Amino acid sequence: RKEVEQDPGPFNVPEGATVAFNCTYSNSASQSFFWYRQDCRKEPKLLMSVYSSGNEDGRFTAQLNRASQYISLLIRDSKLSDSATYLCVVNDRENFNKFYFGSGTKLNVKP
Amino acid sequence: DAGVTQSPTHLIKTRGQQVTLRCSPKSGHDTVSWYQQALGQGPQFIFQYYEEEERQRGNFPDRFSGHQFPNYSSELNVNALLLGDSALYLCASSSPYRGSMNTEAFFGQGTRLTVV
């Protein structure tokens, strides 16, 4: 079983739509959680960290459910520029800060 | 702050050859990790260097080796290249875990290796 699993998509949504991505992780000892955004043929860039209480950054909301080992990302009012692959990342801080990546969920926002 | 820098950005090699990729971490970071990202896949952990030593290794053969220098920069070496080694190679730098800090990784732009 992979350490981090995501639906690969693609999610094809119209501009202005709300879209949600989910991610599950297998290691209950995981302690830090992130969403990264990766544009085609570019490096991943940090979108937001995910905190236990949930957190919001503008149109983006991240949630963590430790009991179910589940992370989510909600994007409201989608923009064309949101089209990218979103990577769920889990950090095992007990294991020398090793990062585990999901395979990514592709989002296409259409006009 | 230059962030994480990698060189070269693109490389074409022939099967059986050897390649060296280079990475300079973000200022203040002392931990460098290397990842291989095949097309359509998430990055896969190769290994991590800290204090000039390989601290952890993913499921990659011994053909993949590395080094970290006193200035924290790092090299990834791949010997006896195979067609399947064609991928984007990403270097990430981070600080070691300290207390409750949520330590994220910062990535370089990657080296796109094509093996023909």
Side-chain angles (χ1 to χ4, degrees):
Chain A
R1 183 183 173 189
K2 291 184 178 179
E3 289 91 356
V4 181
E5 302 213 44
Q6 294 181 249
D7 181 344
F11 285 58
N12 298 307
V13 304
E15 266 187 296
T18 295
V19 62
F21 307 138
N22 301 319
C23 163
T24 58
Y25 60 95
S26 61
N27 184 359
S28 59
S30 300
Q31 295 183 312
S32 297
F33 310 89
F34 308 90
W35 284 100
Y36 277 73
R37 170 193 169 130
Q38 187 171 28
D39 293 294
C40 188
R41 303 180 77 82
K42 299 285 190 182
E43 76 275 22
K45 292 187 178 176
L46 179 67
L47 177 67
M48 59 196 303
S49 300
V50 186
Y51 299 110
S52 297
S53 55
N55 49 299
E56 187 174 309
D57 183 3
R59 298 181 294 108
F60 299 85
T61 300
Q63 296 281 346
L64 168 63
N65 184 323
R66 285 188 183 272
S68 302
Q69 296 180 202
Y70 169 98
I71 305 159
S72 66
L73 177 68
L74 182 78
I75 304 176
R76 291 181 299 277
D77 188 23
S78 298
K79 311 291 184 191
L80 295 176
S81 57
D82 293 334
S83 297
T85 295
Y86 290 83
L87 297 163
C88 174
V89 183
V90 170
N91 180 349
D92 183 357
R93 293 189 304 197
E94 296 297 323
N95 204 14
F96 300 113
N97 214 27
K98 184 175 176 180
F99 294 83
Y100 298 90
F101 287 79
S103 56
T105 298
K106 187 167 176 57
L107 172 65
N108 295 316
V109 181
K110 308 289 189 182
Chain B
D1 182 3
V4 182
T5 58
Q6 290 186 245
S7 63
T9 55
H10 294 83
L11 203 52
I12 299 176
K13 289 286 190 178
T14 305
R15 270 183 301 177
Q17 284 189 311
Q18 179 265 344
V19 69
T20 298
L21 311 181
R22 296 177 177 81
C23 171
S24 292
K26 181 176 168 66
S27 177
H29 285 182
D30 50 14
T31 302
V32 173
S33 302
W34 286 92
Y35 293 82
Q36 180 195 66
Q37 187 175 25
L39 203 60
Q41 300 295 316
Q44 298 296 310
F45 177 76
I46 302 175
F47 42 53
Q48 183 183 84
Y49 277 84
Y50 173 68
E51 292 188 342
E52 301 179 52
E53 290 192 1
E54 182 184 294
R55 187 160 62 175
Q56 279 205 93
R57 190 177 184 91
N59 294 324
F60 279 80
D62 293 344
R63 297 187 297 110
F64 290 77
S65 64
H67 188 76
Q68 186 178 35
F69 299 94
N71 66 353
Y72 308 124
S73 66
S74 177
E75 289 182 349
L76 164 65
N77 301 294
V78 187
N79 294 323
L81 284 167
L82 304 174
L83 295 180
D85 295 331
S86 296
L88 179 67
Y89 288 84
L90 295 161
C91 168
S93 76
S94 59
S95 300
Y97 167 56
R98 294 189 181 91
S100 61
M101 287 176 62
N102 214 31
T103 309
E104 68 265 29
F106 291 84
F107 285 85
Q109 82 282 11
T111 294
R112 189 162 298 280
L113 172 66
T114 302
V115 182
V116 297

